[in-house]
Amino acid sequence: MSTAKRTLEMQLLLGPEGTVPVAGRFSYRSDRPFEVEVVFISRGRTVATWLFARELLLNGLCDEAGEGDVRVWPFRGLNGQRRVHIELSTDENVCELSVRATELTAWLEQTAAIVPPGHEDRYLDMDIHLARLFAGKC
């Protein structure tokens, strides 16, 4: 199993001009080739953990991607810096974050070196996942 991990500086968007710094610890594993885990950390504490498709982040670098709980799209910050906007929704809340596009791109390139996009099925051991599912260990 190969992994790519990196903590990225993010901004939690509170309004038109208000932000709070949040660290996003991005993790990718070759044995779970379709998914990305992001642990959000504020003031040294884990405040949330989300799993979503790596393809969503890849597509969100250049265009609006996703529907439902997770949406991702590129934009330019007030200083002209390229950023990626990530919106996370639950039944009760919506959380909007942004991250520098160059940092997210660099991390996604690490994941692509482990499992090239479009080749995820070659790295997924369905027998192991089905055995875990039938044993009730998912």
Side-chain angles (χ1 to χ4, degrees):
M1 177 183 68
S2 298
T3 62
K5 296 182 180 185
R6 184 176 290 183
T7 300
L8 304 179
E9 292 178 28
M10 304 182 77
Q11 295 293 320
L12 174 63
L13 307 175
L14 300 176
E17 297 181 27
T19 62
V20 172
V22 175
R25 189 173 26 208
F26 287 70
S27 299
Y28 181 79
R29 297 171 30 172
S30 61
D31 66 330
R32 300 179 80 110
F34 290 100
E35 85 182 25
V36 168
E37 177 184 79
V38 183
V39 176
F40 297 100
I41 302 163
S42 179
R43 298 183 180 136
R45 301 175 108 183
T46 297
V47 293
T49 301
W50 279 70
L51 297 175
F52 45 93
R54 175 179 66 161
E55 183 178 27
L56 187 63
L57 290 177
L58 288 165
N59 292 339
L61 290 173
C62 299
D63 201 2
E64 188 170 332
E67 45 187 71
D69 295 349
V70 181
R71 295 185 330 121
V72 182
W73 65 92
F75 75 101
R76 290 209 181 265
L78 296 175
N79 59 2
Q81 183 181 61
R82 286 186 42 234
R83 298 189 68 83
V84 175
H85 189 96
I86 300 172
E87 180 183 270
L88 307 172
S89 302
T90 67
D91 290 338
E92 296 110 29
N93 296 304
V94 175
C95 176
E96 298 183 30
L97 301 124
S98 76
V99 61
R100 287 186 198 104
T102 54
E103 291 182 16
L104 182 58
T105 299
W107 180 75
L108 286 168
E109 287 172 353
Q110 283 184 310
T111 73
I114 295 169
V115 176
H119 297 270
E120 292 88 354
D121 59 332
R122 296 179 188 174
Y123 293 81
L124 186 63
D125 189 336
M126 286 302 292
D127 293 335
I128 289 174
H129 288 286
L130 287 172
R132 288 180 69 213
L133 176 67
F134 293 135
K137 296 181 180 180
C138 283

